[in-house]
């Protein structure tokens, strides 16, 4: 286990496409989405247990979720939970954690992971991560993990890479040619057919000095903010500085702000049974199914029901008859019944509920 390897877990999102299970007061990363007794955040930390020590793990989240993170990760020291005063997308989030880590260890190699992804083959996952860490430690590169696509999915971003000898590095790295955000079906089918596109996993690996250099080069407005107060990070002045810093940071993703512009971005192709679990349908694809292709979590009795996702409170008996391809999800004060093929409308449902019923349901 390398002492200079650090993990940054991004755990501040709400995950509204997983409504009503994922809510503002209790987002999906704090839920046992897989029905196995561990929250998505806990599973993420578990996955990296053999890669870096807990003292090198930082969780970036909304300040409102600090206590939730502590509840789910009692082994994590409180000062390693980095609270954002407001959401500003992934670039400020990663800048905050990277400058904080660089203050402590200028030789750090940093892994950045979302808190709400699922991995089936964890042994292969760890092998790939170690491979990426070794490559990042030896090269001045920004590495993203690319997932071998199994279908023309329109919900993922895509990475095109170059595989000629001039654009490869030892360790199986290929130079990135283009990033494409969530294409339409026709374009996604073309990507799959071409053979040189991967899904963008949102998992990154780089040395601290390399990512800070990239911020100075491509997001200088953000780097200037954090460099002004870098010496306050890790001190009692950090919270006040971060409140002021975030008020000056624009809302921008690391993909758009850095990865799509930098000329030292490489992708490591991987296949370890990955899903971002961003939607109910993704849970149906990766979850354990019964003989009728239903994914069930709860006290449920089914009749003539197939191809459904049913997730309900364990203390409530639910009887379902005659459904084919539906989502049935209950949490707190909301019950959702929706066709799986219409799940893209969930965000519309949330917006409508907020306007008609107030904020108690979102």
């Amino acid at each position: 286990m390398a002492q200079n390897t650090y993990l940054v877990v991004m755990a501040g999102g709400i995950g509204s496409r997983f409504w009503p299970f994922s809510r503002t007061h209790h987002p999906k990363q704090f839920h046992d989405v897989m029905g196995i007794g561990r929250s998505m955040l806990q599973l993420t930390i578990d996955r990296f247990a053999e890669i870096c020590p807990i003292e090198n793990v930082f969780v970036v989240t909304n300040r409102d979720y600090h206590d939730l993170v502590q509840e789910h990760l009692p082994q994590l020291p409180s000062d390693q939970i980095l609270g954002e005063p407001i959401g500003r997308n992934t670039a400020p989030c990663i800048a905050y954690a990277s400058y904080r880590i660089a203050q402590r260890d200028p030789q750090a190699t940093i892994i950045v992971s979302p808190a709400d992804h699922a991995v089936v083959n964890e042994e292969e996952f760890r092998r790939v991560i170690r491979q990426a860490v070794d490559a990042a430690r030896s090269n001045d590169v920004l590495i993203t993990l690319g997932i071998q696509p199994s279908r023309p999915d329109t919900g993922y971003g895509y990475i095109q890479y170059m595989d000629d000898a001039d654009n490869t590095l030892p360790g199986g790295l290929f130079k990135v040619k283009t990033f494409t955000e969530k294409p339409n079906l026709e374009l996604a089918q073309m990507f799959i057919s071409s053979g040189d596109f991967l899904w963008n996993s949102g998992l990154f690996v780089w040395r601290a000095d390399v990512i800070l250099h990239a911020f100075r080069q491509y997001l200088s407005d953000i780097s200037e903010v954090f460099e002004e107060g870098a010496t306050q990070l890790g001190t009692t002045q950090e919270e006040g500085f971060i409140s002021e810093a975030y008020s000056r940071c624009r809302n921008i993703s690391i993909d758009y702000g850095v990865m799509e512009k930098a000329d030292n971005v490489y992708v490591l192709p991987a296949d370890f049974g990955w899903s971002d679990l961003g939607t109910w349908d993704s849970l149906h694809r990766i979850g354990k199914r019964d003989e009728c292709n239903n994914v069930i979590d709860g006290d449920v009795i089914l009749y003539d029901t197939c191809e459904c996702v049913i997730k309900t409170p364990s203390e409530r008996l639910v009887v379902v008859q005659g459904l084919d391809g539906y989502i049935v999800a209950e949490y707190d004060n909301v019950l959702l019944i929706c066709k799986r093929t219409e799940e893209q409308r969930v965000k519309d449902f949330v917006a409508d509920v907020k306007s008609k019923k107030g904020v108690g349901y979102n």
Side-chain angles (χ1 to χ4, degrees), residues 70-222:
Q70 197 76 85
E71 179 185 329
H72 283 246
L73 303 173
Q75 76 276 29
L76 188 70
S78 180
D79 69 346
Q80 290 169 220
I81 303 171
L82 308 185
E84 297 181 292
I86 47 177
R88 280 289 188 259
N89 215 317
T90 53
C93 165
I94 290 171
Y96 178 10
S98 298
Y99 275 93
R100 170 73 182 272
I101 290 169
Q103 279 294 106
R104 171 174 157 181
D105 183 357
Q107 307 302 315
T109 299
I110 302 171
I111 306 161
V112 179
S113 172
D116 53 2
H117 288 185
V119 169
V120 174
N121 188 340
E122 297 204 344
E123 185 176 338
E124 173 64 8
F125 173 84
R126 284 187 280 269
R127 186 195 69 78
V128 170
I129 290 291
R130 289 189 179 102
Q131 185 176 337
V133 168
D134 288 344
R137 195 166 280 134
S138 305
N139 299 279
D140 296 344
V141 293
L142 305 170
I143 299 173
T144 182
L145 266 59
I147 307 300
Q148 296 287 355
S150 57
R151 61 189 179 278
D153 199 304
T154 59
Y156 293 149
Y158 285 73
I159 299 168
Q160 184 182 24
Y161 63 93
M162 299 178 278
D163 60 0
D164 56 282
D166 292 337
N167 290 295
T168 59
L169 287 176
L173 298 178
F174 300 94
K175 193 164 189 178
V176 171
K177 185 176 182 181
T178 60
F179 287 88
T180 303
E181 266 302 308
K182 297 180 181 177
N184 59 36
L185 183 58
E186 183 180 2
L187 196 55
Q189 288 169 335
M190 289 174 57
F191 289 169
I192 299 299
S193 299
S194 74
D196 59 353
F197 281 83
L198 302 164
W199 285 336
N200 187 352
S201 70
L203 284 156
F204 307 105
V205 184
W206 41 52
R207 289 201 321 272
D209 62 314
V210 176
I211 188 61
L212 295 194
H213 177 76
F215 271 107
R216 294 182 194 109
Q217 190 168 1
Y218 303 106
L219 288 174
S220 58
D221 54 327
I222 291 177

